[in-house]
Amino acid sequence: MISILLYSLVTIFALFFLGYGLSVIFLPRELKPYAFWFSPWYTIFFLIFSLTVFSLAGLPVSYVSFPISIFLVILTIFVLLKGKLPFKLITKENLFLSLFVVASVIFNLSPLIRRHKFLTTVSLGNNDVIVYTVVPDYLVNHSLFESFFTPVSLGVSNLLHDGYRWGPPLLSAFFQHILKLQGYQFVYLFQVILFALTIPLIYIFLRILYKPTLFGLIVSLVITAFNVNLLYLLYHDFFGQVLFWGLELFLLLFIYVYFNSDKSKTRHINLYDVNIGIALAVLFFSYHEGTLFVL
């Protein structure tokens, strides 16, 4: 049971720490107050984009994970040493968000904590869990490029060649290699964390669209964290869809703020263009059907 909580904490910390430098540097001024909650999603976007490029070039995750990690760590340390935080960390809203994120993680890990007592993957019956545990194991030591020219198992072929779902398994493979875990040990845990980290994006969107209130914060968090339809997909291990929720909200946030700012009236390339362009690429790498829906 201790290992379940320990790996959860390490994964969440890594997502926030590795992405903090990117968040502070690449977030436009209008979104800077939310840099802390954008940090894990910058980690996710950067990892999917870079790992996909390297993997298509023939380099497996085990070859590039260490250099990528060092680059992100140096970037974060540079930003931390450069100056003060561009946001208020201790606020009433952040405390509520943190509470709901932690509650969501513990609630959805309760089947492992109460019943199994060790890291494993649970499912209410969907077979997607098989390919989402097998394919990351393959991508740790093999590349996308290699998979197109050498014999692979049906599960690997189904996800990488037929489904073009490259983002989720590459992302899992990165953390599995860093944490020295197998796919069956990590995939469900990772989905639970991604689901919980989507919750703050819901509140950020609420703050931008409407006048922020504590009541609105609590309602939006409750109907997200304990939404039976979302939990249905989580407990059936629809990894692509779970990741898609966060990627989609990230993209829609940037598009909405962009078209309501002066930046949309200039022809010069700006941070919105860079973020939206990379977000679209990552969304297509991860869940191309959803990308068409968003567009």
Side-chain angles (χ1 to χ4, degrees):
M1 185 176 74
I2 299 299
S3 64
I4 298 171
L5 299 176
L6 179 62
Y7 281 111
S8 301
L9 289 172
V10 170
T11 304
I12 292 172
F13 174 79
L15 285 168
F16 275 93
F17 187 78
L18 293 178
Y20 179 73
L22 291 170
S23 182
V24 172
I25 293 172
F26 287 100
L27 264 180
R29 176 177 51 83
E30 293 84 356
L31 294 172
K32 274 281 198 297
Y34 313 110
F36 178 75
W37 294 112
F38 273 111
S39 297
W41 292 102
Y42 268 99
T43 301
I44 291 164
F45 274 90
F46 183 83
L47 288 178
I48 292 177
F49 186 82
S50 59
L51 290 173
T52 300
V53 172
F54 283 125
S55 195
L56 287 172
L59 297 173
V61 170
S62 59
Y63 282 36
V64 299
S65 57
F66 184 71
I68 288 175
S69 301
I70 293 299
F71 170 74
L72 293 177
V73 167
I74 292 173
L75 202 61
T76 294
I77 293 174
F78 169 76
V79 169
L80 289 172
L81 294 177
K82 187 178 178 181
K84 64 178 183 180
L85 300 176
F87 54 86
K88 290 183 179 179
L89 184 60
I90 308 299
T91 65
K92 189 185 300 182
E93 289 82 2
N94 283 346
L95 290 175
F96 269 101
L97 285 169
S98 301
L99 177 65
F100 271 89
V101 168
V102 171
S104 175
V105 170
I106 294 175
F107 176 78
N108 292 312
L109 286 179
S110 60
L112 304 187
I113 297 171
R114 292 176 58 246
R115 294 178 180 272
H116 301 288
K117 312 295 184 184
F118 61 90
L119 281 172
T120 187
T121 291
V122 298
S123 175
L124 292 181
N126 178 48
N127 289 330
D128 280 16
V129 64
I130 299 172
V131 292
Y132 280 119
T133 55
V134 171
V135 179
D137 287 339
Y138 172 83
L139 289 174
V140 168
N141 295 307
H142 303 274
S143 66
L144 286 168
F145 180 83
E146 180 184 343
S147 74
F148 286 103
F149 297 99
T150 58
V152 294
S153 67
L154 182 61
V156 173
S157 176
N158 178 264
L159 197 65
L160 301 184
H161 302 166
D162 302 330
Y164 292 96
R165 303 280 176 83
W166 300 342
L170 280 169
L171 193 59
S172 291
F174 174 85
F175 284 100
Q176 286 174 211
H177 178 66
I178 296 296
L179 299 174
K180 305 304 179 187
L181 295 174
Q182 297 296 311
Y184 79 92
Q185 295 173 301
F186 186 69
V187 166
Y188 178 73
L189 170 71
F190 197 35
Q191 288 182 72
V192 167
I193 292 171
L194 292 177
F195 174 74
L197 292 177
T198 302
I199 297 170
L201 297 183
I202 297 287
Y203 175 64
I204 295 171
F205 219 156
L206 180 74
R207 274 189 70 100
I208 292 172
L209 288 173
Y210 305 104
K211 182 180 179 181
T213 64
L214 185 60
F215 177 74
L217 167 65
I218 295 173
V219 170
S220 64
L221 297 185
V222 169
I223 64 176
T224 305
F226 304 106
N227 185 305
V228 66
N229 296 299
L230 301 182
L231 292 175
Y232 174 88
L233 294 178
L234 175 63
Y235 283 112
H236 281 78
D237 287 283
F238 288 102
F239 195 173
Q241 287 88 335
V242 172
L243 177 61
F244 170 74
W245 296 332
L247 301 183
E248 172 198 27
L249 280 167
F250 183 100
L251 177 61
L252 291 178
L253 268 165
F254 271 86
I255 290 175
Y256 181 83
V257 176
Y258 175 57
F259 284 112
N260 285 278
S261 72
D262 294 333
K263 298 293 185 182
S264 62
K265 300 179 178 65
T266 178
R267 294 184 178 182
H268 301 293
I269 294 177
N270 54 67
L271 288 175
Y272 285 103
D273 299 322
V274 175
N275 280 283
I276 291 172
I278 292 177
L280 280 170
V282 169
L283 201 58
F284 194 83
F285 289 154
S286 304
Y287 198 76
H288 60 279
E289 303 99 319
T291 310
L292 299 176
F293 168 75
V294 170
L295 291 175

